[in-house]
Amino acid sequence: MQPNTISIIVPVFNEVDNIAPLLEQIASALDGHEWELIFVDDASTDGTTDAAYRLSVGNERVRLILRLWDRGLARSTIQGMLSAKGQVLCVMDGDGQHDPKFIPQLMALLHEGPYDTVSAARRLGGNAIESGALSKTREKLSQIGNSISSLIVGRRLDDPLTGFFLIRRDAFLDVAPRLTDPGFKLLLDILHSKKDLRHAELPFDFGSRMSGESKLDSYIVWQFATYLLSKLTRGLLPPSLISFLIVGASGLLVHFSVLYVALAWAASFSVAQLAATFVAASSNFLLNNLLTFRDRRLRGWKQFRGYCEFMAASSIGIIANVSAATITYDRLGQMIVLSTLAGIAIDTIWKFAVAKRLIWR
């Protein structure tokens, strides 16, 4: 493969009807260029894996990377970029909303700059709404997200949340070790991790999805929020820990509700604390499975088994929780809130360690 090859990395999940048309569009748009297309599939369940494999067998420009573990949009994209052969790396979605016809324009901009990275910035005005590519709600969320992201990066950008961008391979290899795990928008993490990257934007019309359902849901918003909070702490707290702590904070409401109900029923403080801890731990497990560790989400029998393992492994934390809370309660004049928080603090640290290493590996 020639040195001026451009590698196009397309992370996919359940896009079986979109990848063949995308290949045709890329081949047409890059006629006369040296290119390769890398599909990075997170073990799709709709036949995308087989379809991408067949395309790779029939076309030497196409490759497939199949990921079974440690899945997620950012992780998949990074693996594809690290596996690419080209000196220029292009990242784009596989649903048709990123039109390959803009790739040559982005390449020209990258080389004319010269820039380290260039991105296709979505036009978020009335045209996007009229085309049906973006709903009013999604457009508003994108505008708010872009404004906050510009503050995080430290300079005004039209669309730092775009998933359609080019970057020089040497620039990416330089920044890759500094990347965290946004799980959402990789360009934002790249620009934040190395703020002196030479970057330019090219406005483009965000297209409509060719087939299938959008992956944007409340979980993506949650991911983005925890990522931004992590950046506000200068990376001291990773997004997963922030999510775990927020879920834990919601568990406080559950905990105190059960605690006071049990005390009202004349239960001893130790018994009430034990019951409240157990119920709150169950609530936290379900929410963390849904939010914090969504990319490793347990389902069906695995979820039940994971719950049993989590509660069993957390028993040490529960014992420490109840013991610390009871000691504090007895020695500080029966201060219920302070005593409970002392126990919860110890329990939370233990549960996060258990969750990361044993349950959602």
Side-chain angles (χ1 to χ4, degrees), residues 29 49 52 70 76 88 100 127 209 213 241 255 283 288 293 321 328 350 358:
T49 305
D70 196 30
S76 296
V88 174
N127 290 337
R209 165 176 277 275
E213 298 180 356
L241 178 56
H255 189 105
S283 172
N288 279 314
F293 303 106
N321 180 335
T328 306
W350 173 255
L358 299 179

Side-chain angles (χ1 to χ4, degrees), residues 38-355:
I38 303 174
F39 289 112
V40 189
D41 181 29
D42 272 4
S44 294
T45 58
D46 69 341
T48 298
T49 305
D50 291 337
Y53 174 73
R54 289 193 297 271
L55 290 177
S56 69
V57 171
N59 190 328
E60 62 179 10
R61 294 180 183 269
V62 180
R63 287 198 285 147
L64 167 66
I65 296 177
L66 176 60
R67 291 168 50 83
L68 301 179
W69 299 280
D70 196 30
R71 293 176 289 173
L73 179 60
R75 298 187 189 96
S76 296
T77 305
I78 290 171
Q79 182 170 343
M81 296 172 79
L82 292 174
S83 304
K85 300 175 183 178
Q87 295 303 308
V88 174
L89 311 178
C90 172
V91 175
M92 63 186 300
D93 291 345
D95 56 12
Q97 294 184 304
H98 297 159
D99 195 330
K101 72 179 182 182
F102 290 101
I103 296 178
Q105 298 178 45
L106 289 168
M107 292 172 62
L109 180 61
L110 182 74
H111 294 303
E112 290 171 4
Y115 296 104
D116 299 305
T117 179
V118 296
S119 58
R122 296 167 296 175
R123 292 189 177 97
L124 297 176
N127 290 337
I129 297 176
E130 292 171 5
S131 69
L134 289 175
S135 66
K136 292 183 179 180
T137 300
R138 184 171 177 182
E139 183 186 26
K140 189 62 177 178
L141 287 174
S142 295
Q143 290 174 330
I144 294 173
N146 283 336
S147 297
I148 298 175
S149 298
S150 293
L151 294 176
I152 296 295
V153 173
R155 62 179 184 265
R156 178 62 189 175
L157 297 171
D158 290 331
D159 189 13
L161 296 182
T162 182
F164 189 10
F165 65 93
L166 271 63
I167 185 170
R168 297 182 186 274
R169 184 173 186 274
D170 55 353
F172 174 71
L173 292 179
D174 180 52
V175 74
R178 312 181 196 182
L179 299 177
T180 56
D181 179 21
F184 180 42
K185 294 301 182 182
L186 184 57
L187 177 64
L188 174 61
D189 201 28
I190 289 174
L191 296 177
H192 178 270
S193 299
K194 188 171 175 56
K195 295 185 178 180
D196 60 349
L197 278 177
R198 298 168 298 176
H199 171 247
E201 293 179 297
L202 175 74
F204 88 112
D205 295 314
F206 193 60
S208 298
R209 165 176 277 275
M210 287 188 291
S211 179
E213 298 180 356
S214 172
K215 307 299 190 301
L216 181 65
D217 56 16
S218 57
Y219 168 64
I220 297 298
V221 177
W222 176 268
Q223 273 190 313
F224 182 55
T226 57
Y227 171 75
L228 290 181
L229 289 173
S230 176
K231 291 307 179 186
L232 291 175
T233 68
R234 297 184 180 273
L236 181 63
L237 299 178
S240 59
L241 178 56
I242 290 177
S243 178
F244 196 86
L245 292 175
I246 294 175
V247 168
S250 71
L252 283 174
L253 299 176
V254 177
H255 189 105
F256 280 111
S257 297
V258 175
L259 179 69
Y260 279 106
V261 168
L263 290 175
W265 288 352
S268 67
F269 180 80
S270 296
V271 171
Q273 178 73 355
L274 179 61
T277 300
F278 180 83
V279 175
S282 300
S283 172
N284 286 352
F285 171 84
L286 295 174
L287 287 176
N288 279 314
N289 190 51
L290 183 64
L291 297 173
T292 307
F293 303 106
R294 176 71 169 266
D295 55 333
R296 287 161 277 178
R297 186 178 179 183
L298 304 174
R299 300 176 184 273
W301 169 250
K302 289 184 178 180
Q303 181 176 359
F304 176 74
R305 186 179 66 184
Y307 169 74
C308 294
E309 292 175 348
F310 180 77
M311 296 303 292
S314 299
S315 61
I316 296 175
I318 292 175
I319 293 172
N321 180 335
V322 176
S323 300
T326 302
I327 292 172
T328 306
Y329 180 78
D330 292 337
R331 294 185 177 181
L332 295 182
Q334 299 183 341
M335 297 175 62
I336 294 176
V337 174
L338 183 59
S339 303
T340 299
L341 291 177
I344 289 175
I346 295 176
D347 193 20
T348 299
I349 295 173
W350 173 255
K351 279 192 175 69
F352 184 69
V354 168

